[in-house]
Amino acid sequence: MASLNVGNLGEYLREQRRNAQLSLRQLADAAGVSNPYLSQIERGLRKPSAEVLQQVAKALRISAETLYVRAGILDAERDRDEVETRAVILADPTLNERQKQVLLQIYESFRKENGFEITPDLARGMAQNVTQDMAQDEAQGMAEHISGTQQAPDIAVRGPRTADGSDADPQQTAS
């Protein structure tokens, strides 16, 4: 396992934050970490956990695995295939968050069976990422349902509809 390279990580985070046109305070708020703590990470004074890196990555809308590699949690050469596989699964727009989580769990179980395991910090960070994504998707779905803007999936088989697009009463359409 590589040692943490927090200087390189801090520079990279600062660059990503500036590219996203976020102030240090805005990123800290979005990531749910304190402003001074994030400043210390950027200056290379603190070694963030995988969970904190995951929160920052989500706030910056970048891959958490990229930050793990930059921080030395993942070995870029040894774990590149694993990171790429996970990234492809997480980026697949045809899968919902629950399906992504199940695929990642199956993938990890096969890797473990073959003697390749990820670090506990990384596993926790990835699990938290999937769990937060699922909660966010669930909240978004509920908000869309309440506002009436929810779109039906392309593959859904739906029953009769009224003129406004809502489900028709099956009792009324049977006659």
Side-chain angles (χ1 to χ4, degrees):
M1 184 71 50
S3 64
L4 290 179
N5 186 354
V6 291
N8 185 28
L9 172 66
E11 293 168 14
Y12 180 75
L13 283 176
R14 183 177 295 117
E15 179 183 322
Q16 294 302 309
R17 178 177 57 80
R18 288 179 178 161
N19 287 342
Q21 298 180 343
L22 292 172
S23 70
L24 192 65
R25 187 172 309 277
Q26 288 171 323
L27 178 57
D29 288 344
V33 298
S34 73
N35 188 36
Y37 182 62
L38 185 58
S39 174
Q40 291 172 348
I41 294 170
E42 280 193 1
R43 291 182 286 142
L45 302 175
R46 292 283 183 163
K47 298 177 182 179
S49 67
E51 291 87 358
V52 168
L53 289 174
Q54 185 272 322
Q55 290 170 246
V56 171
K58 188 170 188 120
L60 287 170
R61 299 179 187 262
I62 61 174
S63 163
E65 286 81 7
T66 300
L67 295 184
Y68 298 151
V69 169
R70 292 272 179 173
I73 294 172
L74 278 179
D75 181 354
E77 292 301 316
R78 193 188 85 210
D79 297 327
R80 184 179 331 156
D81 290 340
E82 178 186 358
V83 170
E84 288 174 359
T85 301
R86 289 176 184 281
V88 167
I89 291 170
L90 291 171
D92 189 332
T94 64
L95 301 175
N96 66 37
E97 292 307 314
R98 180 160 309 286
Q99 292 167 332
K100 291 175 186 180
Q101 180 183 24
V102 170
L103 274 174
L104 288 173
Q105 289 171 347
I106 292 168
Y107 176 65
E108 183 56 35
S109 71
F110 284 144
R111 286 183 53 82
K112 193 175 194 177
E113 182 179 307
N114 293 333
F116 298 96
E117 293 188 54
I118 60 173
T119 65
D121 273 352
L122 180 58
R124 280 192 300 274
M126 290 176 162
Q128 183 180 10
N129 184 23
V130 172
T131 303
Q132 287 176 346
D133 286 347
M134 289 173 58
Q136 185 178 15
D137 285 354
E138 184 67 25
Q140 182 179 358
M142 289 172 57
E144 290 172 348
H145 181 72
I146 290 169
S147 68
T149 61
Q150 190 171 19
Q151 298 294 318
D154 292 339
I155 61 169
V157 177
R158 311 279 315 239
R161 299 297 210 172
T162 62
D164 69 350
S166 62
D167 289 333
D169 183 355
Q171 301 294 337
Q172 293 177 353
T173 56
S175 53

